[in-house]
Amino acid sequence: MKIAQSNPHRERLEKAITDLLHFIEAGAVYISYNDSNNAVVVTFILKENCSQDGDTLAEASYKLTKLYPDFVFKFINFNWASYGFKKGKPFFIQHCTLKELVYFVPDNKVFYPRTDISKELIKKAKKRFYLDLEAAVVTFRNVPIYTRNNKNVEAAFIMHQTLRYIYICASEFLTPEFIGSTCLLMHYDHVIDFAPTFKNILNKDIQEDKEVFIMLNEAYCSIQQNHEMAYINSTLINVARVKIESMQREINRLFLEYIKSCKEKVRELNNQTFLGKSIFNGKIRSNYIMDDAFSRISVVITEFFKTRAIYCFGYATIHDQDSTAKNSNYSKVLPGYHFYLLVLNLEHIENAIPLLQALIREKFEGKYKVTILNHSANYLRKKNQNQKYFFDTIMANGFLVYNNPLYLVYTKNFDVERDIDFSKKYSEDRMLLAQQFLSLAQNCFNEDSALIKNVFFHKALEQISVGLINLFLGYHPINFSINYLFSLLKYTQEVELPFDFTNEKEKTLYQSLFVNEEISKQDNAEEDNIEHSKLLEVKCITFFKQAKLIIENEFKRLESEKK
């Protein structure tokens, strides 16, 4: 079980869920918290084909759940959860997604949209909501007519129907299911935990409000059963009308709030990234699947070499494009991630980064990939101001994946400012070197010119990439592998790479940067090399010009902010 340390109810939630899991066959447990109404909802989704029933469990576990009156517990059958996600029922989108997951049994399902389905979900929710609300509004319009003609029973009957539809509307998007009861007090009990703001308008524990409920229920029975009703106080009729008008406004407010949060949430789930400037602007947040991945990856790293600490400073979602599962938004196919990690080692291993990155990719069959900044613990203490700025930012805002139990956790110092002048000179020097390599390539005319040109283009791309990485991160890579540098450039989200790696021709052109002398002498290789070299020259010069403009504009912005 993984409940956020920052959750103020963490210990009580852990105890409650642990006690319930002793006799509940749950495949997943979710905890959600709504800031606007302070409702803490704990949802158990049962395992597929288990022998238990959600409604029965709610009754059987009452003695335990009543010990936590400030929590709302829901027990939902697997099939109903699958149906709810398939139909886009708002309750499940609000309370049962990857963000709220705290307990998970492998081979169960998780809601994880592979495309942005927010428009589709909102369209479905609006259609049902406004259909029910219209039924409530249409009947309510007749209340003034009946009250003017002293037909208070008929007016109360209409208000009963209106309030019932309001509760049904609320149940549709706030609870897992709605109930068909005609008793308003049953509707009140069903929905009030999920919409506590309703109590500010109608609260059955307040005498006057209780009388309103009783009056409306009795009016409904009177009309349906065709019997006389006792005298109805006109004042109470007016009180009921005003309160129901307020309920209409509140249900609209809650629904609009849901629409906004649903749109933001689904888009965030679909595009889970924490890249580039994000690390400088806020703390990285994890989720259940990421926590599990971190624990697995940290084992691989710490077994590979002695490690002082591991920090995650960014991530992007890896979408499974081959997934053909029906209703793949709610499936057993869990998301994969590309993590960006700072590893502080206690021993040096030659060529560690490519070996470790390849090992992790192979170990998890491509589900988890990593780009690693690998440095010794001593390296941090010797870094200049700019480097410290970047590392201090990671320690302050990054996620601590692992800390060697023999060492204290690094203190989060954030008192170092970036030296803009130093960064500017460093980036300009990299660009000057890149320009020199490009000039050497253009002036190369010997018999192996294509091969030698490519080497110079390779070197130029390295220098351009290092200059851009320094510009946006304040980090000086010690590994000049072009694959590694391009991975860090992708992290910045500020630069378009010179090659489209989804295009086979572009990938082949990129690979020509690594062609060696033996390959270049194979049949037809020389002609290909010359053609590739010409294309590479165009790519590199274009990339150089774009990078130069980006660097100039970014430093202008940084200098103006400094003033």
Side-chain angles (χ1 to χ4, degrees):
M1 193 186 313
K2 296 177 181 178
I3 301 174
Q5 294 281 350
S6 58
N7 191 314
H9 311 286
R10 186 170 181 269
E11 290 185 6
R12 295 174 62 237
L13 283 166
E14 280 187 346
K15 183 174 184 345
I17 294 170
T18 301
D19 289 345
L20 287 166
L21 285 174
H22 284 311
F23 63 90
I24 292 177
E25 297 179 48
V29 181
Y30 302 85
I31 296 174
S32 55
Y33 179 76
N34 190 323
D35 289 325
S36 64
N37 59 27
N38 296 321
V40 178
V41 182
V42 184
T43 306
F44 290 74
I45 293 183
L46 305 183
K47 292 179 181 177
E48 188 175 9
N49 301 321
C50 82
S51 58
Q52 297 176 325
D53 173 72
D55 292 336
T56 305
L57 282 174
E59 295 176 12
S61 63
Y62 179 70
K63 285 186 178 180
L64 198 156
T65 57
K66 75 175 182 179
L67 298 174
Y68 306 92
D70 48 338
F71 300 157
V72 181
F73 293 89
K74 298 301 292 185
F75 306 92
I76 301 174
N77 296 332
F78 175 87
N79 289 337
W80 182 247
S82 295
Y83 175 82
F85 279 114
K86 182 179 180 180
K87 294 298 181 181
K89 288 185 73 65
F91 172 87
F92 294 97
I93 309 303
Q94 290 182 93
H95 302 286
C96 305
T97 72
L98 194 61
K99 287 184 70 175
E100 293 80 32
L101 186 65
V102 298
Y103 172 82
F104 180 75
V105 176
D107 208 34
N108 280 272
K109 291 185 176 182
V110 168
F111 177 73
Y112 163 59
R114 285 156 179 75
T115 57
D116 181 3
I117 58 170
S118 56
K119 287 184 179 179
E120 177 187 337
L121 291 172
I122 288 169
K123 184 178 179 181
K124 287 181 179 179
K126 280 184 174 179
K127 182 178 179 181
R128 181 56 195 259
F129 176 80
Y130 289 118
L131 191 68
D132 287 336
L133 194 62
E134 180 64 19
V137 171
V138 168
T139 55
F140 191 68
R141 289 171 186 158
N142 294 319
V143 170
I145 298 172
Y146 285 116
T147 54
R148 280 199 301 270
N149 292 292
N150 293 320
K151 294 185 176 182
N152 288 343
V153 176
E154 288 82 354
F157 172 81
I158 288 174
M159 285 192 286
H160 172 280
Q161 293 295 83
T162 300
L163 188 55
R164 178 171 173 263
Y165 273 115
I166 288 172
Y167 281 135
I168 288 174
C169 282
S171 297
E172 269 295 322
F173 75 91
L174 292 174
T175 74
E177 71 288 306
F178 75 91
I179 57 175
S181 173
T182 58
C183 175
L184 295 178
L185 289 170
M186 287 187 67
H187 279 282
Y188 175 94
D189 289 338
H190 180 69
V191 80
I192 202 65
D193 285 336
F194 299 94
T197 53
F198 282 169
K199 282 186 178 181
N200 300 331
I201 303 167
L202 273 170
N203 186 339
K204 72 174 187 179
D205 296 326
I206 295 174
Q207 185 58 35
E208 184 181 58
D209 292 352
K210 186 176 180 180
E211 290 175 7
V212 167
F213 281 119
I214 293 171
M215 175 188 70
L216 299 183
N217 275 338
E218 287 180 351
Y220 174 83
C221 292
S222 174
I223 296 293
Q224 288 294 103
Q225 297 171 16
N226 195 26
H227 66 71
E228 290 294 323
M229 184 179 173
Y231 170 75
I232 294 180
N233 189 323
S234 296
T235 302
L236 197 59
I237 285 286
N238 289 330
V239 168
R241 180 175 60 80
V242 171
K243 286 183 177 289
I244 290 172
E245 287 173 348
S246 296
M247 287 288 286
Q248 284 183 345
R249 288 191 292 272
E250 180 61 11
I251 190 69
N252 268 297
R253 186 192 69 80
L254 289 173
F255 185 69
L256 291 174
E257 187 180 88
Y258 161 73
I259 292 297
K260 181 182 177 183
S261 65
C262 172
K263 187 182 296 185
E264 292 173 353
K265 186 174 186 178
V266 173
R267 286 178 179 174
E268 183 184 341
L269 285 167
N270 168 243
N271 184 31
Q272 293 181 71
T273 59
F274 190 95
L275 300 172
K277 292 179 180 176
S278 300
I279 193 67
F280 298 102
N281 299 326
K283 291 183 178 294
I284 195 168
R285 293 184 180 180
S286 183
N287 61 44
Y288 187 95
I289 305 300
M290 287 171 62
D291 284 346
D292 183 64
F294 286 147
S295 64
R296 293 167 181 263
I297 290 169
S298 64
V299 169
V300 176
I301 294 172
T302 54
E303 287 179 351
F304 183 83
F305 57 14
K306 294 177 183 177
T307 307
R308 168 73 169 80
I310 304 171
Y311 290 86
C312 176
F313 62 94
Y315 62 85
T317 312
I318 300 174
H319 291 282
D320 182 4
Q321 301 296 340
D322 297 328
S323 176
T324 55
K326 190 176 180 181
N327 188 27
S328 60
N329 292 321
Y330 182 61
S331 73
K332 296 176 181 179
V333 181
L334 302 179
Y337 290 95
H338 184 150
F339 295 115
Y340 293 83
L341 305 176
L342 168 63
V343 176
L344 303 176
N345 66 69
L346 294 169
E347 66 173 325
H348 175 73
I349 293 181
E350 194 68 31
N351 208 30
I353 293 178
L355 290 173
L356 191 50
Q357 290 180 165
L359 177 63
I360 290 170
R361 187 168 56 250
E362 181 183 346
K363 177 84 174 177
F364 301 105
E365 300 178 338
K367 190 174 184 65
Y368 303 127
K369 299 177 182 179
V370 293
T371 297
I372 295 174
L373 310 184
N374 178 37
H375 298 284
S376 70
N378 290 331
Y379 179 86
L380 259 64
R381 291 192 288 270
K382 298 175 182 177
K383 286 297 96 189
N384 62 37
Q385 183 173 335
N386 264 18
Q387 292 277 57
K388 283 183 179 178
Y389 176 79
F390 178 60
F391 290 128
D392 283 357
T393 301
I394 291 177
M395 290 175 189
N397 293 341
F399 186 85
L400 180 60
V401 174
Y402 167 85
N403 190 78
N404 192 313
L406 299 177
Y407 295 83
L408 294 173
V409 174
Y410 279 103
T411 55
K412 298 177 179 180
N413 297 320
F414 214 1
D415 56 354
V416 178
E417 291 187 5
R418 187 176 179 186
D419 185 341
I420 303 300
D421 293 334
F422 178 88
S423 290
K424 185 176 181 181
K425 186 176 187 311
Y426 183 89
S427 291
E428 287 174 347
D429 288 347
R430 298 306 104 194
M431 294 302 290
L432 185 60
L433 276 173
Q435 188 174 25
Q436 290 171 352
F437 283 126
L438 289 174
S439 296
L440 287 169
Q442 290 173 316
N443 294 320
C444 185
F445 300 108
N446 64 27
E447 59 182 14
D448 293 324
S449 62
L451 182 62
I452 296 171
K453 277 176 180 281
N454 290 0
V455 172
F456 287 134
F457 291 142
H458 193 146
K459 294 290 184 183
L461 287 173
E462 287 176 348
Q463 294 301 321
I464 296 168
S465 300
V466 170
L468 288 167
I469 291 165
N470 166 74
L471 168 68
F472 291 108
L473 301 181
Y475 175 66
H476 306 168
I478 57 174
N479 183 335
F480 271 29
S481 157
I482 197 69
N483 288 328
Y484 180 76
L485 295 175
F486 276 5
S487 181
L488 286 177
L489 276 183
K490 284 178 69 176
Y491 171 82
T492 68
Q493 292 191 302
E494 302 285 350
V495 181
E496 184 178 344
L497 296 181
F499 300 94
D500 178 5
F501 292 99
T502 62
N503 183 297
E504 287 301 319
K505 288 184 178 179
E506 294 266 309
K507 285 168 69 175
T508 302
L509 181 61
Y510 174 71
Q511 289 301 323
S512 67
L513 287 169
F514 307 94
V515 172
N516 59 36
E517 189 175 352
E518 288 186 8
I519 295 174
S520 70
K521 291 180 179 178
Q522 294 175 3
D523 293 341
N524 301 320
E526 186 175 348
E527 186 177 335
D528 289 342
N529 287 342
I530 294 171
E531 182 61 29
H532 286 162
S533 187
K534 289 178 181 178
L535 293 172
L536 278 174
E537 183 173 347
V538 174
K539 287 275 186 187
C540 290
I541 290 173
T542 302
F543 188 48
F544 175 82
K545 289 178 179 178
Q546 289 174 345
K548 194 169 183 180
L549 185 61
I550 289 170
I551 289 171
E552 288 174 0
N553 291 336
E554 180 64 10
F555 277 118
K556 282 179 184 177
R557 186 188 68 80
L558 291 171
E559 286 167 355
S560 64
E561 284 184 357
K562 190 176 179 181
K563 294 175 183 177

